[in-house]
């Protein structure tokens, strides 16, 4: 028994070695990919499908799941809080885009070679490196009624202070301003790198042709910055739709839910003391995912074209 | 170079520019400077309404108070315990899968690549409930391991994209000639490609470190207690306890922000290279 076992194993070993030799180039990629695909499937792909499936159920996270069909989605259509969140998401998306031109502007301002400019560049980038939790706390202090810098500034200019985070008319804008701070820094660094790669001979040639200022920027520089602009737009759109940390830190969705965005409303429905409505939360997440997919597909589509072009 | 080099401008413009730089920087960092100053104010200053003026003396004791009166030290250790394994795990996985996707031609190559890319951009909320369930059912809920495992998996998407593009830029003849010599695929990876990946590994490590250190959402979804929470989630709960003690909130914020900031300044070149890879090509 033992003898035959060793013989077979020796035999298979020889076989596997031969098989491996012959096929290693078609097998190797799968071996290299195995850990990545396994982890990614378990924690990303499967949860996306599971969430979609869950959005058709009523579930508190512990008990039995009850099939609801489209009822969660039908309820969403009548839910004012959902519309508030959606509306705020649109405001986020539109205003967050300011980070792209603002980032370009700061990059142009800093694109010089005076002494110490490298330190300036890294200090301008600073807000991006710190956590959104810290950014949120910093801006809460900045807006704080009675003593916040911003509150006092407004009081000094207009005579009355504005408690930005407690006022449902301004709260979303106040949070977006906090979000723009690191986002402008991010776009700035993308553009600074882009500006480094602008062909100097083209700039010189355009200069000889009399192009200056805006004309030069629009016709010569911006076309060359297109890759940087593309990435800046992508990360800004994703960042706007993903916004959660700042809303959670600065207002917790308040006052009266007026600063909620979809990502925060989903969390509130699924996990906060108000809810444990996992199915309803999942339905909100599916809608957010669908909105995001419009942008992700566009992004992937462009990448596929680039890949084919290479 | 655009705009025109400042040295070629008139002396007046040059002076104006050199003055504008620090002014702009101070305005840009004003909220942060305010917090830094508040973190050094004695509580008596704040009680007396001195919010803007200079501190009456530098109260470094605020920093000591944060450490003695709150579990911030343990939050910070938790953050390291989550961040370091995540960096190692995600970068290691990405080296392997990035190599596979960059070097081999097979049918599913682009499909898998774009799954990684797309997965990297999904909203966290669509993953939240199932990932939480998975962590609960495996007994990893409210553990550092559970949080780190998720981060490894999720970050491997971005990291694979990054590594694959980096390896694509390496000279392919090296691999071809090794194959002609009969070197096995694993040896090619280990002895030829991996050593060339060092700059990419450094860049990616710094980036992932910052991303994970600064994560707040998953920390709140997957951990609940001071024994397991990283500093971002911990700081938020401390903020609730320190109502109106802005000097402590400020000191805590600055402590929490330190490690990624130090990382950034020490590894600046790699950090920026990592962030902008892909922005400059194509």
């Amino acid at each position: 028994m033992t003898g035959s076992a060793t013989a077979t194993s020796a035999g298979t070993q020889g076989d596997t070695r031969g098989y491996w030799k012959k096929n290693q180039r078609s097998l190797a990629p799968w071996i290299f990919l195995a850990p990545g695909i396994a982890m990614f499937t378990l924690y990303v792909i499967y949860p996306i499908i599971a969430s979609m499936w869950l959005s058709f159920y009523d579930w508190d996270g512990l008990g039995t799941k009850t099939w609801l069909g489209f009822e969660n989605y039908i309820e969403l259509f009548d839910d004012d809080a959902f519309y508030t969140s959606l509306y705020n998401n649109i405001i986020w998306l539109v205003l967050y885009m300011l980070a792209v031109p603002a980032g370009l502007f700061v990059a142009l301002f800093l694109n010089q070679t005076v002494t110490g400019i490298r330190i300036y560049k890294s200090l301008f980038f600073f807000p991006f490196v710190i956590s959104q939790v810290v950014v949120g706390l910093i801006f809460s202090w900045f807006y704080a009624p009675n003593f916040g810098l911003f509150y006092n500034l407004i009081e000094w200019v207009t005579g009355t202070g504005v408690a930005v985070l407690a006022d449902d008319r301004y709260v979303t804008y106040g949070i977006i301003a906090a979000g723009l701070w690191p986002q402008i820094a991010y776009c700035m660094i993308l553009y600074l790198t882009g500006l480094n790669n602008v062909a100097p001979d083209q700039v010189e040639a355009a200069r000889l042709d009399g192009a200056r200022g805006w004309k030069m920027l629009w016709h010569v520089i911006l076309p060359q910055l297109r890759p940087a602009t593309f990435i800046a737009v992508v990360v800004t759109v994703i960042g706007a739709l993903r916004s959660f940390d700042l809303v959670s830190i600065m207002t917790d969705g308040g006052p009266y839910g007026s600063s909620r965005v979809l990502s925060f409303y989903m969390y509130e429905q699924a996990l906060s003391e108000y809810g444990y409505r996992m199915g309803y939360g999942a339905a909100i997440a599916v809608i957010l995912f669908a909105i995001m997919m419009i942008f992700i597909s566009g992004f992937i589509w462009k990448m596929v074209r680039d890949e084919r072009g290479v | 170079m655009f705009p025109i080099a400042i040295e070629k401008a008139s002396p007046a413009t040059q002076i104006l520019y050199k003055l504008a730089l620090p002014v702009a920087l101070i305005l840009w960092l004003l909220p942060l400077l305010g917090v830094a100053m508040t973190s050094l104010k004695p509580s008596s200053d704040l009680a007396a309404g001195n919010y803007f003026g200079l501190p009456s003396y530098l109260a470094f004791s605020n920093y000591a108070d944060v450490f003695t009166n709150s579990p911030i030290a343990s939050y910070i250790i938790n953050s390291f315990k989550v961040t370091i394994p995540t960096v190692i795990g995600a970068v290691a996985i990405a080296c392997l899968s990035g190599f596979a996707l960059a070097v081999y031609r097979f049918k599913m190559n682009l499909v898998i690549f774009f799954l990684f890319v797309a997965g990297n951009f999904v909203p966290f909320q669509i993953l939240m409930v199932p990932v939480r369930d998975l962590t609960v059912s495996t007994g990893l809920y409210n553990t550092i391991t559970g949080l780190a495992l998720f981060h490894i998996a999720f970050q491997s998407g971005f990291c694979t994209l990054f590594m694959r593009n980096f390896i694509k830029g390496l000279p392919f003849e090296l691999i071809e000639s090794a194959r002609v010599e009969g070197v096995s695929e694993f040896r090619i990876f280990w002895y030829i490609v991996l050593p060339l990946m060092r700059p990419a590994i450094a860049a990616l490590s710094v980036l992932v470190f910052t991303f994970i250190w600064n994560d707040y959402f998953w920390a709140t979804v997957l951990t609940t207690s001071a024994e397991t929470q990283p500093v971002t989630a911990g700081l938020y709960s401390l903020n609730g306890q320190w109502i109106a003690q802005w000097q402590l909130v400020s000191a805590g914020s600055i402590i929490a922000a330190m490690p990624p900031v130090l990382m950034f300044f020490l590894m600046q070149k790699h950090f920026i290279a990592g962030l902008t890879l892909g922005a400059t090509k194509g």
Side-chain angles (χ1 to χ4, degrees):
Chain A
M1 183 69 200
T2 335
S4 70
T6 10
T8 0
S9 81
T12 32
Q13 205 177 31
D15 282 344
T16 42
R17 196 173 288 166
Y19 180 75
W20 170 245
K21 270 251 155 84
K22 249 179 274 161
N23 294 292
Q24 69 163 317
R25 221 184 284 175
S26 55
L27 290 176
W30 296 104
I31 298 169
F32 283 116
L33 277 170
I37 289 183
M39 289 291 271
F40 212 67
T41 309
L42 185 66
Y43 276 107
V44 181
I45 312 234
Y46 158 76
I48 293 175
I49 299 162
S51 277
M52 289 177 177
W53 176 77
L54 198 65
S55 71
F56 297 112
Y57 283 87
D58 177 37
W59 189 43
D60 63 2
L62 292 168
T64 46
K65 301 182 177 82
T66 321
W67 173 262
L68 287 181
F70 282 96
E71 266 180 56
N72 281 329
Y73 292 96
I74 293 165
E75 192 184 335
L76 272 180
F77 279 109
D78 267 328
D79 184 346
D80 284 341
F82 171 70
Y83 286 108
T84 309
S85 313
L86 193 62
Y87 178 66
N88 282 340
N89 261 123
I90 294 168
I91 300 179
W92 267 89
L93 206 50
V94 173
L95 289 183
Y96 226 47
M97 276 301 153
L98 288 175
V100 178
L104 174 63
F105 175 79
V106 181
L108 288 173
F109 175 64
L110 292 178
N111 192 37
Q112 294 290 352
T113 43
V114 297
T115 40
I117 197 74
R118 284 196 47 177
I119 298 165
Y120 276 106
K121 286 177 186 171
S122 29
L123 286 172
F124 266 87
F125 186 60
F126 219 85
F128 181 76
V129 184
I130 53 189
S131 163
Q132 298 243 313
V133 176
V134 175
V135 172
L137 291 175
I138 289 177
F139 269 80
S140 302
W141 177 89
F142 193 56
Y143 292 139
N146 299 322
F147 66 87
L149 261 179
F150 183 79
Y151 183 93
N152 277 275
L153 192 73
I154 295 292
E155 195 174 37
W156 182 64
V157 174
T158 66
T160 42
V162 176
V164 176
L165 298 181
D167 191 319
D168 59 1
R169 287 169 298 172
Y170 307 121
V171 61
T172 294
Y173 302 100
I175 302 173
I176 295 173
L180 277 173
W181 194 43
Q183 194 65 27
I184 290 171
Y186 191 3
C187 293
M188 172 206 82
I189 215 79
L190 292 173
Y191 276 121
L192 273 175
T193 317
L195 283 168
N196 256 339
N197 297 324
V198 165
D201 48 328
Q202 282 194 34
V203 180
E204 278 319 305
R207 214 160 257 163
L208 288 178
D209 286 342
R212 300 192 62 214
W214 285 110
K215 240 182 165 174
M216 170 82 108
L217 180 67
W218 191 256
H219 294 289
V220 183
I221 307 295
L222 273 182
Q224 295 193 57
L225 289 176
R226 267 175 70 179
T229 306
F230 176 68
I231 300 285
V233 169
V234 170
V235 295
T236 306
V237 168
I238 304 286
L241 290 174
R242 268 195 185 165
S243 54
F244 170 88
D245 295 9
L246 289 173
V247 175
S248 165
I249 299 294
M250 294 174 74
T251 62
D252 220 359
Y256 318 113
S258 57
S259 64
R260 284 185 185 123
V261 287
L262 286 177
S263 62
F264 183 80
Y265 187 45
M266 184 275 163
Y267 174 83
E268 208 177 49
Q269 285 297 319
L271 276 191
S272 81
E273 57 264 48
Y274 303 110
Y276 293 103
R277 297 185 66 193
M278 301 285 176
Y280 196 58
I284 303 168
V286 169
I287 302 238
L288 180 61
F289 179 70
I291 298 171
M292 211 103 134
M293 269 322 276
I294 301 171
F295 295 100
I296 299 174
S297 319
F299 175 49
I300 300 275
W301 185 66
K302 188 194 177 267
M303 278 187 77
V304 172
R305 265 191 335 182
D306 288 354
E307 285 298 322
R308 297 245 165 90
V310 169
Chain B
M1 185 178 161
F2 182 85
I4 297 175
I6 201 80
E7 303 91 80
K8 291 183 187 159
S10 67
T13 318
Q14 285 194 39
I15 291 168
L16 210 64
Y17 180 72
K18 280 172 190 167
L19 280 175
L21 271 178
V23 173
L25 182 69
I26 288 171
L27 284 175
W28 182 241
L29 293 181
L30 200 60
L32 190 62
L33 293 171
V35 163
M37 202 153 78
T38 309
S39 77
L40 289 171
K41 275 186 184 156
S43 54
S44 55
D45 274 19
L46 294 175
N50 174 15
Y51 291 106
F52 292 108
L54 291 168
S56 48
Y57 62 93
L58 292 180
F60 289 105
S61 58
N62 289 337
Y63 284 86
D65 286 350
V66 169
F67 276 101
T68 46
N69 298 339
S70 83
I72 200 159
S74 111
Y75 288 138
I76 287 177
I77 292 170
N78 292 339
S79 276
F80 278 112
K81 282 187 188 161
V82 172
T83 307
I84 292 170
T86 303
V87 170
I88 296 170
V91 172
I93 286 179
C95 286
L96 296 171
S97 38
F99 176 77
L101 293 174
V103 166
Y104 300 94
R105 286 168 157 256
F106 54 100
K107 256 192 190 158
M108 295 285 284
N109 189 317
L110 271 189
V111 176
I112 296 174
F113 175 58
F114 285 120
L115 267 183
F116 276 118
V117 177
N120 176 46
F121 291 123
V122 300
F124 293 150
Q125 282 69 16
I126 194 122
L127 312 177
M128 187 184 97
V129 177
V131 165
R132 189 172 175 274
D133 282 343
L134 194 71
T135 335
V136 170
S137 64
T138 46
L140 293 171
Y141 181 68
N142 198 23
T143 65
I144 284 165
T145 318
L147 187 56
L149 275 177
F150 170 78
H151 280 316
I152 292 174
F154 190 80
Q155 292 301 323
S156 65
F158 168 73
C159 296
T160 299
L161 157 77
F162 185 101
M163 284 302 186
R164 183 253 189 201
N165 286 349
F166 182 84
I167 299 171
K168 273 257 161 172
L170 296 175
F172 195 69
E173 305 82 62
L174 276 176
I175 296 167
E176 282 293 87
S177 56
R179 278 181 179 159
V180 173
E181 300 278 321
V183 181
S184 83
E185 299 297 317
F186 294 124
R187 285 171 162 269
I188 290 176
F189 170 73
W190 191 257
Y191 291 107
I192 298 173
V193 176
L194 204 56
L196 295 172
M197 284 161 79
R198 258 190 231 145
I201 291 172
L204 206 49
S205 303
V206 190
L207 269 189
V208 175
F209 181 93
T210 316
F211 293 162
I212 301 306
W213 187 278
N214 289 341
D215 163 71
Y216 166 74
F217 180 75
W218 292 104
T220 53
V221 170
L222 296 179
T223 62
T224 52
S225 63
E227 290 76 46
T228 49
Q229 276 187 329
V231 71
T232 44
L235 195 62
Y236 181 60
S237 44
L238 288 177
N239 184 44
Q241 294 166 32
W242 288 334
I243 294 168
Q245 289 190 281
W246 277 96
Q247 80 282 12
L248 294 187
V249 178
S250 307
S253 302
I254 288 186
I255 295 167
M258 256 357 231
V261 165
L262 282 178
M263 192 64 130
F264 167 65
F265 274 103
L266 292 175
M267 309 272 287
Q268 207 182 121
K269 206 183 82 197
H270 292 302
F271 191 97
I272 305 239
L275 211 55
T276 52
L277 185 97
T280 47
K281 60 163 260 196

